[in-house]
Structure formats: structure tokens, C-alpha cells
Amino acid sequence: MKLSIIVPVYNCKEYLDECLMSIYEQMDSECELIAVDDGSTDGTTDMLDSYKNRDNIRVIYCEHKGASHARNAGLDNAKGEYVTFLDCDDTYYDGFLSKSLPLIDEKYDLYLFGFIRRFYNGESVINALDNHKYEDVSSFADAYIRRGRMLFYSACNKFYRRDVIKRFDIRFEESYGFGEDRLFNFSYIRHIDNIYTTDLIMFNYNQRSLESMSTKTIPNYFNLAKMLHEEIVKCFLELSKGTTINERKDFVNKDLVKEINMTIDRFKDHPNEMEDNLPMIYELIYGNDNGRTYNEEELREIVSKPNMWRYKPYDNPNIKKYLDVSH
């Protein structure tokens, strides 16, 4: 068995057939599909029953504990040399498996693929990578620090070696409702030797409704965003061997700027998040709140200039020691 494809399933009756058939119709005996029902209540469970007797499809039923728990249950039952994931409202790109499975024969530790983001209004955006074989992780980390965008966050556009996951007990953090993909990837990349990026498109990331443009309210979102910022910075600065001090500082700056802008982006759909998050952003940039009146244009302008902030991102004591290029 070359590949186990794990699909956490929860209340997606309307899209389930489209998702699973987009995989099943491409599969051969080298693949298995593991659908993990996360305690669905909308009839999804009954639909899954119809897949149980198909070749190379297994269905697992769990109580509702979230997508991370469902993914971990899938990992516990996977038999493939490699594992990958897909969300139940997304679909595989036509012909993906026939083109990607031969790459597994090259035995890289991590494969990264592109995807298409399809919006509710019919528009779409291609997120693609270059064909490149990184023979050591440090060269990938160097490239990531310099470019900043290599589709690393998601767990759904990757093939992982199952023996690495098992040997180092790498799991999805079940207590988080946001960012668990990133933490899984940060842990995994620390235990591998090489990475293969390819321009193959893996799946369609489907926006199924207007509501999916914004996620649920997340209390103290910026605290979580700062933690994820610190984790990715520590991960890649530890792994990088060929970057300069200025490249490393620039990477830290740009990543925190991105997280702040993403936090501000949420205010339109979640104005109640402003009360918790704005004071933390003001403290970082100005040193205090001082009763400031929120002005998005002015705030984004100063956010874009981290060297003018009261607290420089790379002076963060949790990060500063990782800037040393002689490590």
C-alpha cells in the first residue's frame, strides 16, 4: 500500500459523494481511502455506510471531538507507506493520483503540491509550486525564509511518510481549533531529511457558501496568532543554515506583519474580536493603548513598517536567540 488518504467527515452530507468519489474514481490497489466520521448528525453517517463495502475504502466512526481527533484516528488505522489528508468539502483534481503516485518511488520524506482555491462566486485562484528537489531540509528552510510562501501551512497538500509520524509520535493537537495543521507540519519537518515540491495540482479547495469566507469567532485570536508566528519562526530559523542575519530578521518581520494583517482582516466579520485583539496590537506597535480610536487605514500603514514599532519583532526574547546564524 503506497498511500493512505484520510478524510475527516462531519455533517457534510451535501458534498460527501463529490469529495469521496473524486478520490475513489482515481484510486488503484496502491491506495486506500479512510473516511473518519466525527459524530455527524445530519445523515452523513448513513451515506458513509454505502461506502463500507467498496474496495480499499474503510469507514471509522467516532464521537464528535473535532477534525484533529478524526485525523489522528485515521493515522492510527492507516497502512500506507505515505499518508495524506483531504477535507470533506474539497475534491481531488482530475488525474492527480496517476501523476503523483510514481513520485513516491523516489522516497522523499515530504511531498508538497499545489491546489486551486475555488470561490463561491465562481472565481478561482491557482496556488502552485515549482518543481524542486531539496536534498536537505536546511536548503528548504533557506528558500522558505527568503520567499515566505511555499504552501507549507496546510496538511492537505502533502504526502507524509507514515513511519516518521509513527516513530516520533507526531499528532494533530486536539485542543486547538485553529493552527493545528501548522503545528503538525512544524513537528514533522524537524524529523526528516529531504523535501520534494512539485507543480502538480492536488485538489480543489472549495468555498461552499458565503459564510465560509469568515471562520467562527476565536477568543484572543491574536494570542494564538503570535504563538503560531513564534513557532514557525523558531522552526525555520533552527533548520536554516544558509541565510544571513538580515534575511532572518526580515523573515521574522514579514511573518508577524502577515499575522497582524490577518487579525485585522477578521474585524469586518468579527467586530467583537476587536476588544481583545486591538490592545495587544497597539501595545506591540506603540507601547500602549492610550485610548486610540481605531482607524484601519492608519493602522495598516504603521503595521507595514515594523522597524518603526515600539517593540521590534526580532527582539522578542522567545525568538531572539534563534537569529544567531552560527547555530
Side-chain angles (χ1 to χ4, degrees), residues 145-146 237 242-252:
I145 285 173
R146 290 168 180 147
L237 292 184
T243 48
T244 67
I245 185 66
N246 286 334
E247 287 174 328
R248 297 158 83 84
K249 285 183 175 181
D250 189 53
F251 167 59
V252 174

Side-chain angles (χ1 to χ4, degrees), residues 116-125 206-208 210:
I116 299 176
R117 184 168 188 177
R118 299 190 181 278
F119 295 94
Y120 186 73
N121 62 7
E123 296 179 357
S124 62
V125 175
N206 299 312
Q207 181 191 7
R208 296 293 188 172
L210 289 175

Side-chain angles (χ1 to χ4, degrees), residues 6 8 17 40 55 63 77 82 93 138 159 175 198 210 244 257 260 301 313:
I6 299 169
D17 279 331
S40 296
D55 291 341
E63 61 179 302
N77 287 272
Y82 289 81
Y93 195 71
S138 64
F159 289 174
S175 63
T198 165
L210 289 175
T244 67
V257 166
I260 293 176
E301 175 66 19

